[in-house]
Amino acid sequence: MKKTRLQLMLCGGSGCQATGSRKFQDALEKELKHTRLDQEIKVIETGCNGFCAVGPVMLVQPEGIFYQKLKPEDVPELVEEHFLKGRPVKRLQYVEPASKETIPNMHDIPFFAHQKFRVMRNKGIIDPEVIDEYIARDGYFGAAKALTQMSPEQIISEMKISGLRGRGGAGFPTGLKWEFAAKSPGNIKYVLCNADEGDPGAFMDRSILEADPHAVLEGMLIAARAINAGRGYIYCRTEYPLALHRLDVAIKQAREYGLLGKNILESGFDFDIEVYQGAGAFVCGEETALMRSIEGKRGMPRPRPPFPANKGLWEKPTVLNNVETLANIPQIILNGGEWYASIGTETSKGTKVFALTGAVNNIGLVEVPMGITLRQMIYDIGGGIPNKRKFKAVQLGGPSGGCIPAQCLDTPIDYEEIAKVGAIMGSGGVIVMDEKTCMVDMARFFLDFIQDESCGKCIPCREGTRRLLETIEQICQGNGKPEDIQTLETLSEVIKNSSLCGLGQTAPNPVLSTLRYFKDEYIAHIVEKKCPAKRCTALLDFKIDAEQCKKCGLCFKACPANAITWQKKEVAIIDNEKCIECMSCFEACRFNAIN
Amino acid sequence: MPTPTQLNHPDISPEMVPEIDGIIGAHYRTDGAVIPVLRLCQDIVGYLPMELIDYISYGLNLPRSEVLGVATFYSLFSLIPKGRHTIKACLGTACYVKGIKEVMTRISNEFNVKEGETTSDRRFSLEAVRCLGACGLAPVVVVDQDTHGGVSASQVKSLLEKYD
């Protein structure tokens, strides 16, 4: 590889591509060529940087200068000032919202400074479509060690020492899972990678696949060696075209380098990987359903036992690991299980990647050591709640998870501790909600998702979630009855106890956890027929509170139906005949003056 | 039922038939081929008319019920025609919190199309999709291949105007 003066690490993740990184890249490359800097400055498209909220983003190496919200128009100034004259462009750098201070260096920005990068150590640093760059960062060294210096028993023992638990949600110890499959008799075995990331609000696996696909391939190769599997499949959602493309490129390159295929690294071991595209079914994230889907059937779960370690894909012993779990493995083998276990809590080791979204300033992907508190994650890394609103709850674990209220914010990130407060670690979706979120409406949202995605096999899940949804919809409509709360609780217990798979067993969690902490909101909806967060339109009056109104006219400007009359220095009035209840005025009003 | 050895359907042109035959031929002996075959055929025709389902099940030597069962189980497959442009509104949590509901309602009213349907002039199909993983840009609407972030209800009309 040729040496260059500067490397411009431009994020090419899905988030940045959507905000225009491609157009910026074209303009940048053109300008560099035009100014003849293209020999000494190299533009590298990287995987997801994680700080999606301020995209497109670019890191200038080796200086470590971080630029955000880049537009093609910014190119001439950047090239002239920074790349030619060495004066970084301040207006394109990160500004700390609280202190209004400009922070030039990426590692000083609080969003990055509080993180600990293990799984995402290569994100934004290497070009994910060039295998040499991965190898230069010790890539495939773990696999080489596993294949040439370690026995399968030693690999499994190292995994057990590391304490790594499945990052897909359930948290089953990975080493133990491998041991079961390794001991299972049979010549044909499979290693599967679960990249069917379906939880709404979660995008960790997509980012890992986009930023560092080889880490996942290497993890699979080590797993294959441990259980003696000859073939692997990556089951990836079809909604992730960039991740699918990067996987294809990575697999081709690994084959060319002899890291997949026959007699890998002269060890006599054969292993190859194929990508299987999902077709859009949430339940296929469940292991037995995923295997059914690869077999070309409707993705419906089946009872366990037999467990996949004994009878999995095509009835053969199978190990299924999540993307993040697999991306951890190369470093565990290279640095040892004890190194890995050196951070974390008693029962939860290493780091966890979270997709931090919702009502939080710094939306993006974060990797934190196990054991830090939710408060640290939301406030120190996430930068707190925007628009001076109040924190209300944080939702962890997607549709199967639960809402955690303000009084539990000091809960450490740990599988058991999070379960104690009524949520689950889950795959890593973290949705922060402010006072404008209605918890009944939130439960309704997740139930709508679950009842739609229920595969229909078990009646408690198929029918029960619909009844739950109907009951909650009635409450949101203002037709709730006092006995509804009891009905919701009883029905939830039945669904939980009598469903076959994880989807059904956890389906009532959104209801149970909101009832646990926010019962007063349910009561307000049912008894007072009020929605305290002002989200449920049926319970709103669409009237302006004259005392609160600051006569600014923002609601008047926002109304698409011309239903609001307003003049300067006068309180606005909504004409309820014309009002289409679209909520535009609620969003526009900054003084909470509309009821 | 006659043996579906010929594909006669207004939406399947004669040029498409050899392509479809090629896909079926390439997957004929592969286990678990139904999903990839349905996907590739849908890519060609735009959706999966019943005649095509019959043709595929005959070609793969599988019961019609099994192929139709798979086609109806997964949300990727559509048995009804699609519009020239597909609007996907993300109903993920982040988008929901940030107001995708209002955006959806506006699209429905503006173009007289319900979720899961196609406008009568086949201009737009409106789909509600699960999290697209672009939560940083919420609320997100994807039109064909273009991702639009931070969309508000009032932007809907001007946003969709250019897709004819």
Side-chain angles (χ1 to χ4, degrees), chain A residues 206 280 293 297-298 444 452, chain B residues 39 69 74-75 96 130 133:
Chain A
R206 170 178 67 74
S293 184
K297 308 230 163 46
R298 289 167 76 98
R444 195 197 64 75
D452 195 32
Chain B
R39 181 207 324 280
Y74 295 97
S75 62
Y96 193 79
R130 298 307 176 197

Side-chain angles (χ1 to χ4, degrees), chain A residues 94-142:
Chain A
Y94 178 80
V95 180
E96 172 65 24
S99 63
K100 305 275 176 243
E101 199 183 321
T102 304
I103 305 177
N105 202 295
M106 183 169 100
H107 296 287
D108 298 327
I109 297 172
F111 178 78
F112 296 103
H114 291 92
Q115 296 192 49
K116 175 125 190 117
F117 297 119
R118 276 190 177 177
V119 171
M120 303 199 298
R121 69 192 182 100
N122 286 333
K123 68 153 195 186
I125 292 173
I126 64 165
D127 182 340
E129 297 191 16
V130 181
I131 189 172
D132 303 283
E133 299 202 6
Y134 178 69
I135 293 172
R137 301 264 301 161
D138 294 344
Y140 290 106
F141 283 43

Side-chain angles (χ1 to χ4, degrees), chain A residues 355-422:
Chain A
L356 191 58
T357 64
V360 61
N361 273 314
N362 300 334
I363 288 171
L365 203 69
V366 304
E367 181 172 358
V368 297
M370 294 277 191
I372 76 159
T373 65
L374 290 168
R375 187 187 303 280
Q376 284 172 302
M377 180 156 74
I378 294 167
Y379 286 89
D380 296 347
I381 298 173
I385 319 297
N387 302 327
K388 295 182 185 164
R389 289 190 190 146
K390 253 171 62 190
F391 171 87
K392 185 171 197 171
V394 53
Q395 213 279 347
L396 281 188
S400 315
C403 295
I404 300 175
Q407 65 264 32
C408 301
L409 263 183
D410 290 309
T411 307
I413 291 166
D414 172 288
Y415 286 94
E416 279 70 29
E417 293 297 321
I418 287 176
K420 269 188 214 159
V421 292

Side-chain angles (χ1 to χ4, degrees), chain A residues 1 29 78 128 260 285 305 321 357 407 439 447 490 524 545 593:
Chain A
M1 268 181 281
E29 281 173 346
L78 261 179
L260 285 176
N321 285 132
T357 64
Q407 65 264 32
M439 301 316 280
L447 275 177
T490 317
D545 182 341

